[in-house]
Amino acid sequence: MYEVEVKVRADHDAVRERLDATEAEQVNRVAQTDTYYDAPHRDFAETDEALRLRRESRYEGGDLADEETVVTYKGPLVDESSKTRREYETGVEDGETMDAICEAVGFDPAATVEKDRERFALDGYTVSLDSVAGLGEFVEVEVEVESGLDDAREGAFAVLRDLGLDPDDQIRTSYLGMLLGAPEE
């Protein structure tokens, strides 16, 4: 499975107006805490890979509830025009135990990214309004596909344009990379 993603900095108020105008469906609002790990056998920063443990809680009536945890491996970027990469993800019953397992086999926590995320469905894509601690506001448009990467990327660009955003402003650097001081690509 491939995740085709484009991300831009954007003011959420203006994008919400466009989402309303396009009749996008609000899916949910969540708080995410992502712990990224360094591998003992290779430098993920050099290979452009990531191992992440994500704890996600949904907002219900203003309160956080129902924490879910998933572990994700993200492979290197596969094209020069988006943040498309191979991704493997699965649910974890106990996030604390998964964290302990990672550390026991030599995967040390490298950094944590915290964000509030509002998700919308639009034209087969997920549009996320991300407020990332220490970084600001972003919009991500993504879809998972097994093939047809070029079509999926062009569709994501079209969704950005429908939201009044310019695909040429996209950032290919991850939130983790930005927090660690990598330049925005």
Side-chain angles (χ1 to χ4, degrees):
M1 189 67 67
Y2 289 92
E3 177 188 59
V4 177
E5 173 187 306
V6 291
K7 171 175 57 191
V8 297
R9 285 188 180 274
D11 176 80
H12 287 176
D13 291 335
V15 174
R16 274 191 196 90
E17 288 178 20
R18 296 292 302 156
L19 286 165
D20 286 344
T22 60
E23 298 184 9
E25 176 186 342
Q26 184 171 17
V27 176
N28 61 19
R29 182 170 168 240
V30 298
Q32 295 177 334
T33 301
D34 297 340
T35 303
Y36 289 86
Y37 295 87
D38 285 331
H41 59 292
R42 66 179 174 258
D43 184 345
F44 281 166
E46 283 185 22
T47 61
D48 194 30
E49 297 170 279
L51 179 66
R52 174 187 73 202
L53 188 65
R54 171 172 284 167
R55 292 172 175 89
E56 178 176 287
S57 298
R58 286 190 169 83
Y59 282 95
E60 292 181 10
D63 296 322
L64 290 173
D66 300 329
E67 181 173 285
E68 295 180 2
T69 304
V70 295
V71 63
T72 306
Y73 164 77
K74 292 179 173 261
L77 295 174
V78 298
D79 76 20
E80 305 257 337
S81 304
S82 67
K83 286 191 63 194
T84 300
R85 59 178 73 227
R86 189 171 293 279
E87 181 176 286
Y88 301 100
E89 185 170 86
T90 191
V92 173
E93 186 173 319
D94 181 341
E96 297 305 316
T97 299
M98 187 68 215
D99 179 63
I101 290 169
C102 286
E103 290 187 44
V105 297
F107 286 78
D108 293 323
T112 300
V113 176
E114 294 181 352
K115 64 182 165 289
D116 278 341
R117 171 172 275 180
E118 260 182 284
R119 291 187 186 110
F120 297 82
L122 179 62
D123 297 336
Y125 289 80
T126 299
V127 176
S128 297
L129 307 184
D130 291 343
S131 295
V132 184
L135 295 177
E137 293 184 338
F138 299 84
V139 173
E140 288 187 357
V141 176
E142 67 182 64
V143 66
E144 290 185 355
V145 296
E146 291 185 27
S147 61
L149 299 179
D150 292 339
D151 290 341
R153 182 183 60 247
E154 291 306 315
F157 290 164
V159 169
L160 275 180
R161 285 189 289 275
D162 288 346
L163 297 175
L165 302 169
D166 187 347
D168 290 338
D169 293 338
Q170 81 164 296
I171 301 165
R172 295 180 67 227
T173 304
S174 68
Y175 295 135
L176 173 64
M178 285 187 266
L179 283 171
L180 296 178
E184 293 180 10
E185 293 180 33

